Amino acid sequence: MEIFSYSYMIKAFICGFFLSLIIPLMGIVIVNKKISIIGDALSHVSLAGVMIGIFAGIQPMLGAIITCILASFFMEFIRKNFPGYQEISTAIVMSTGIGLASLMSGFIRTSYNFESFLFGSILTISNFEFYTIIILSLVIFFIFALLYRDLMYISFDESSAKLSGLKVESINRIFMFLIALTISISARTVGILIISSLMVIPVALSLQFNRGYLQSTILSSVFGIIFTLGGLFISFYLGLKPGGTIVIFGVIILIFMILLKKKR
């Protein structure tokens, strides 16, 4: 239990718990809507937001939050103008994020450690980031819980949801807002290049159990928590990078479960 004698590890476990609870909740919807690539698109935008925050002299996380929210609304705007072509809006937003990040890198003269955002640095988060993650994670969780049935409906069949009287466009906007918040607060801790993996892998594992939607949603968050906390334990005792360890640990468990299922 030496790991709990370090205050930074306790903070990492708390942040890891909250993030691994909400990230798979976003993942269960995007997987069923078949828009998993959306995590990659907004994560690239969050990097641009981090750079904008540094350039503007504000907290990089705030820059990422604002930029991701604007990008999510921009994505919905494009999607409405190209109905039936979801991948176009995702590709355009991803390209915009990469281009903006490349452009902003020419204006930042300080030797800032962008690797902590690319691959995550959950062990070095500030108090501001710590409390921001906890508060926004709770907000995201409660909004998701309130919209759970509506999100389940539109994730399978938007057309039927519209016919039943659901305000599909409003719900989609709120969901995009939740994804933007989730990704922007996860960039510093989980890592921009890793967030989308943590959205999809726990969901993929939960689908191996062939349960209903509610049970799959709960299992996704449970597996997300197991991957994150287990990855932190492994990285601490083996001296590895936490973000990468969490993802590889999850992939190994997923492969093991697939092989076990095939054997049965």
Side-chain angles (χ1 to χ4, degrees):
M1 292 292 103
E2 176 194 358
I3 192 171
F4 295 110
S5 63
Y6 299 96
S7 59
Y8 67 89
M9 286 304 304
I10 295 174
K11 285 172 66 176
F13 272 102
I14 294 172
C15 282
F17 174 82
F18 280 99
L19 290 175
S20 56
L21 175 68
I22 62 169
I23 293 175
L25 294 182
M26 303 298 105
I28 194 74
V29 178
I30 66 172
V31 167
N32 282 294
K33 284 171 71 72
K34 296 178 175 61
I35 52 171
S36 301
I37 195 68
I38 207 171
D40 285 316
L42 288 177
S43 62
H44 283 81
V45 171
S46 70
L47 177 59
V50 166
M51 292 184 175
I52 291 171
I54 295 168
F55 180 74
I58 62 174
Q59 276 282 344
M61 182 180 283
L62 284 179
I65 290 172
I66 295 168
T67 309
C68 276
I69 290 172
L70 292 175
S72 67
F73 291 136
F74 179 51
M75 188 179 292
E76 275 299 294
F77 170 76
I78 297 173
R79 194 172 78 93
K80 282 178 65 177
N81 285 275
F82 292 92
Y85 296 95
Q86 174 72 46
E87 68 280 0
I88 289 180
S89 62
T90 308
I92 290 173
V93 169
M94 181 183 289
S95 301
T96 304
I98 295 171
L100 193 56
S102 176
L103 185 67
M104 289 303 302
S105 64
F107 293 95
I108 299 174
R109 303 300 177 189
T110 58
S111 56
Y112 204 86
N113 181 22
F114 288 108
E115 185 181 339
S116 63
F117 288 95
L118 291 174
F119 300 105
S121 185
I122 196 170
L123 304 182
T124 59
I125 56 173
S126 64
N127 287 330
F128 172 82
E129 292 168 327
F130 177 74
Y131 291 113
T132 301
I133 288 169
I134 292 175
I135 293 169
L136 291 183
S137 294
L138 290 172
V139 170
I140 292 166
F141 179 82
F142 284 117
I143 294 176
F144 180 88
L146 287 172
L147 296 177
Y148 167 76
R149 290 185 180 276
D150 295 340
L151 288 171
M152 177 182 66
Y153 204 169
I154 67 172
S155 65
F156 287 108
D157 192 345
E158 283 195 9
S159 300
S160 296
K162 284 181 181 178
L163 291 173
S164 68
L166 282 181
K167 296 180 179 178
V168 173
E169 290 185 3
S170 298
I171 295 169
N172 274 328
R173 289 194 192 99
I174 295 171
F175 178 65
M176 292 300 295
F177 175 76
L178 294 181
I179 292 181
L181 275 184
T182 302
I183 289 176
S184 56
I185 65 175
S186 305
R188 178 79 159 85
T189 51
V190 180
I192 288 166
L193 301 179
I194 297 172
I195 296 171
S196 59
S197 301
L198 201 54
M199 274 189 175
V200 175
I201 296 172
V203 177
L205 185 55
S206 71
L207 295 178
Q208 296 298 309
F209 291 85
N210 297 319
R211 301 293 181 181
Y213 189 84
L214 177 60
Q215 290 174 307
S216 295
T217 302
I218 295 171
L219 280 174
S220 296
S221 287
V222 170
F223 287 133
I225 292 169
I226 291 172
F227 295 165
T228 302
L229 302 189
L232 284 173
F233 266 103
I234 294 169
S235 64
F236 178 80
Y237 288 107
L238 297 183
L240 303 173
K241 295 272 186 173
T245 306
I246 291 168
V247 172
I248 297 302
F249 179 53
V251 171
I252 290 172
I253 294 178
L254 175 61
I255 293 172
F256 174 77
M257 287 303 299
I258 291 173
L259 295 174
L260 183 63
K261 187 177 179 181
K262 283 188 174 182
K263 187 177 179 181
R264 286 180 176 177

